[in-house]
């Protein structure tokens, strides 16, 4: 029962307030018993082992507890427990050694028996007026709800109510999302309700609306849908780019969190809602969607051209810095905004300025961030190089010594192959984002496709060792680099007789 039954209970070594004449303390469990009973009401030990209350001291200050073979003393509260019991009857502390399966069964049975006895004792206290009805209900709740009395299931945690509900008509739309594992777009038809009359928020270019997605459950049904104000705007390309970009950021955030930062970060999932009903305006046919977050606590920590919020929070700024170093100076995630460290609507800069939509400012945007960024303790702890020797943010997020894994952990984990789609030897099939990660122009990619197909004599979209060597001669490859040749031979042998596929050959040739 521990501190749950504190009525008439005095802990070992503490003086009893106004002890009743004739009352006595049990030497085993320190419970103060009233005059009369010859056995302890709490643990059943004989009164002969007790200590007179008039002595003013409870517990083991008087007669020592008698231990039978197998009995044990709780290391926390010193209660004497019977041998088969595997947890203390007073404070629930486990027996000092581990439990086998039979011991676990005995512990469960003992706990159930003890709790039943405790309930009976509580009822006695209520009948004698020691406990009031509210106190009794509180004890009953603790024992039956938290302690797992047989036949009484633990109370379920109630789900939080949804932030809003919509009573408008439902419409069937096509929900499309980018599956990061396969790098492919998926879709399904779902029902949604969109509130067009009362915008949640709006800026100069876009409007944010409340939406209920009935394919989701609970509070997750509450979402937001965004569309552009321009009436003739065809949002297909940019909306899909934004969703893919957010998935890239989620992957980089996962790598950031693997370093065990004090405050992990995350990006909301995002998807596309296509409306095909007649009469829908062009700019409202393709909407971006994501889960709802409370905009009252919304903060924009930085933008895509060097702005930094005045509070200079360490985690979002360090994440942008991390993204640049982690990807080998290929990508930088900026425009960090959201609630707490749950972000949305990011922007990615690439070194060549290609891909990831109109907000990609290329090297200029990257330089703007590096010029205004002030490294913090978090940047330093993660092994990120200083952007400027004299610009350091003191204080901020505390990083305990040894908390982070350090530079070698993240520097070796980025692989371009994890961030690009399946590559087929077909012209004009790579997205600008994939071309940027590969460090290629579209014309260079098309030339590689033509050359690969000429050497693929079996037309199975693979090259044998001989075909690969012939293609490399045309490319004037430096065969003197032993490490490159060993890697090429290894990946060809891994794929066996059919040879190396175009994607692996291209990644090897570009050194990524």
């Amino acid at each position: 029962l521990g501190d749950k039954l504190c009525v008439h209970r005095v802990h070992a070594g503490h003086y009893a307030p106004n002890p009743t004449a004739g009352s006595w303390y049990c030497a085993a469990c320190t419970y103060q018993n009233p005059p009369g009973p010859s056995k302890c009401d709490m643990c059943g030990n004989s009164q002969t082992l007790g200590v007179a209350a008039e002595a003013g001291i409870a517990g083991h200050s008087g007669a020592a507890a008698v231990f039978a073979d197998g009995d044990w003393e709780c290391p926390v509260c010193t209660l004497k427990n019977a041998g088969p019991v595997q947890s203390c009857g007073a404070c629930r502390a486990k027996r000092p050694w581990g439990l086998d399966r039979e011991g676990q069964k005995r512990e469960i049975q003992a706990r159930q028996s003890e709790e039943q006895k405790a309930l009976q004792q509580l009822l006695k206290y209520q009948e004698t007026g020691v406990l009031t009805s509210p106190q009794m209900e509180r004890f009953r709740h603790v024992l039956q709800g938290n302690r797992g009395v047989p036949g009484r299931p633990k109370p379920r945690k109630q789900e939080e109510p949804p932030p809003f509900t919509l009573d408008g008509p439902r419409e069937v739309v096509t929900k499309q999302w980018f599956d990061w594992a396969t790098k492919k777009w998926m879709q399904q038809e779902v029902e949604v309700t969109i509130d067009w009359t009362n915008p949640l928020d709006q800026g100069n270019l876009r409007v944010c609306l409340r939406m209920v997605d009935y394919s989701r459950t609970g509070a997750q049904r509450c979402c937001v849908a965004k569309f552009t104000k321009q009436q003739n705007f065809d949002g297909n390309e940019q909306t899909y780019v934004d969703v893919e970009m957010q998935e890239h950021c989620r992957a980089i955030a996962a790598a950031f969190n693997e370093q065990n930062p004090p405050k992990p970060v995350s990006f909301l999932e995002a998807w596309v809602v296509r409306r095909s009903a007649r009469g829908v305006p062009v700019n409202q046919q393709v909407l971006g969607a994501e889960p709802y977050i409370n905009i009252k606590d919304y903060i924009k920590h930085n933008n895509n051209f060097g702005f930094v919020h005045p509070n200079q929070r360490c985690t979002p700024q360090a994440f942008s810095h991390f993204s640049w170093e982690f990807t080998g100076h290929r990508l930088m995630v900026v425009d960090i905004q959201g609630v707490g460290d749950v972000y949305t609507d990011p922007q990615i800069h690439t070194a060549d300025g290609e891909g990831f939509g109109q907000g990609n400012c290329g090297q200029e945007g990257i330089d703007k961030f590096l010029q205004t960024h002030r490294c913090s303790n978090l940047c330093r702890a993660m092994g990120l190089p200083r952007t400027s020797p004299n610009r350091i943010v003191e204080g901020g997020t505390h990083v305990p010594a040894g908390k982070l894994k350090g530079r070698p952990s993240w520097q070796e984990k980025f692989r371009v192959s994890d961030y690009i789609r399946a590559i087929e030897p077909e012209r004009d099939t790579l997205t600008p984002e994939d071309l940027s990660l590969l460090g290629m122009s579209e014309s260079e990619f098309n030339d590689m496709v033509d050359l690969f197909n000429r050497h693929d004599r079996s037309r199975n979209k693979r090259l044998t060792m001989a075909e690969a060597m012939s293609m490399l001669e045309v490319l004037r490859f430096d065969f003197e680099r032993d490490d490159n040749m060993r890697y090429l031979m290894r990946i060809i042998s891994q794929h066996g007789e059919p040879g190396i596929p175009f994607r692996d050959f291209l990644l090897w040739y570009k050194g990524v």
Side-chain angles (χ1 to χ4, degrees), residues 468-493:
M469 296 295 288
S470 176
M471 180 174 174
L472 291 173
E473 288 179 358
V474 176
L475 292 170
R476 298 181 180 180
F477 183 75
D478 183 8
F479 291 100
E480 299 300 322
R481 297 185 59 181
D482 294 342
D483 54 342
N484 276 348
M485 295 309 299
R486 281 195 296 269
Y487 182 72
L488 176 62
M489 293 176 65
R490 184 166 69 250
I491 58 177
I492 288 180
S493 62

Side-chain angles (χ1 to χ4, degrees), residues 330 416 438 481 484 487 505-512:
R330 292 181 177 87
V416 171
L438 288 169
R481 297 185 59 181
N484 276 348
Y487 182 72
F505 182 87
L506 187 62
L507 291 171
W508 168 80
Y509 181 75
K510 296 299 297 183
V512 294

Side-chain angles (χ1 to χ4, degrees), residues 428-450:
D428 303 322
T429 54
L430 273 194
T431 65
E433 293 77 23
D434 290 344
L435 289 171
S436 179
L437 283 167
L438 288 169
M440 303 180 71
S441 64
E442 189 171 47
S443 60
E444 183 184 359
F445 172 74
N446 288 338
D447 290 343
M448 286 290 291
V449 168
D450 294 341

Side-chain angles (χ1 to χ4, degrees), residues 122-141:
L122 286 171
L123 290 172
K124 291 181 181 180
Y125 285 137
Q126 186 181 22
E127 292 173 358
T128 57
V130 175
L131 292 180
T132 64
S133 295
Q135 290 172 336
M136 178 62 190
E137 289 303 314
R138 174 59 182 158
F139 283 127
R140 188 188 297 274
H141 169 74

Side-chain angles (χ1 to χ4, degrees), residues 194-370:
I194 303 176
D195 183 5
W196 296 95
T197 60
N198 185 25
L200 181 65
D201 193 18
Q202 57 182 314
N204 294 327
L205 297 177
R206 293 199 300 178
V207 179
C208 184
L209 304 172
R210 294 177 180 84
M211 181 181 75
V212 173
D213 182 347
Y214 297 101
S215 66
R216 301 163 69 87
T217 59
Q220 293 295 315
R221 283 187 172 183
C222 297
C223 308
V224 294
K226 309 169 188 177
F227 72 95
T228 302
K229 288 184 176 180
Q230 300 173 358
Q231 295 296 325
N232 59 349
F233 174 77
D234 183 0
N236 279 351
E237 181 177 354
Q238 185 62 49
T239 304
Y240 284 93
V241 167
D242 288 345
V243 171
E244 286 194 37
M245 181 159 50
Q246 199 140 318
E247 288 299 315
H248 277 77
C249 295
R250 282 159 62 90
I252 297 174
F256 179 84
N257 293 337
E258 285 181 358
Q259 310 312 307
N260 198 24
K263 298 178 181 178
V265 305
S266 63
F267 285 83
L268 294 174
E269 59 178 316
W271 62 94
V272 175
V273 172
R274 292 192 67 94
R275 305 172 67 225
S276 56
R278 290 185 179 182
V280 175
V282 174
N283 63 324
Q284 297 177 12
Q285 292 177 357
V286 179
L287 311 178
E290 64 186 21
Y292 170 86
I293 55 176
N294 192 344
I295 62 174
K296 291 182 180 179
D297 302 320
Y298 198 94
I299 295 178
K300 192 179 187 74
H301 299 285
N302 60 39
N303 71 358
N304 65 339
F305 212 65
F307 163 80
V308 179
H309 192 277
N311 68 11
Q312 287 272 4
R313 275 200 60 216
C314 297
T315 301
Q317 310 304 332
F319 173 73
S320 291
H321 190 182
F322 171 85
S323 66
W324 178 238
E325 299 297 337
F326 170 69
T327 60
H329 293 184
R330 292 181 177 87
L331 308 175
M332 175 182 280
V333 182
V334 292
D335 216 4
I336 306 299
Q337 54 193 308
V339 176
D341 288 306
V342 179
Y343 308 141
T344 184
D345 279 343
Q347 177 59 54
I348 291 181
H349 292 326
T350 58
D352 59 4
E354 297 296 327
F356 298 107
Q358 300 175 355
N360 181 1
C361 297
Q363 192 62 48
E364 185 180 10
I366 294 169
D367 292 340
K368 286 291 184 181
F369 171 84
L370 297 175

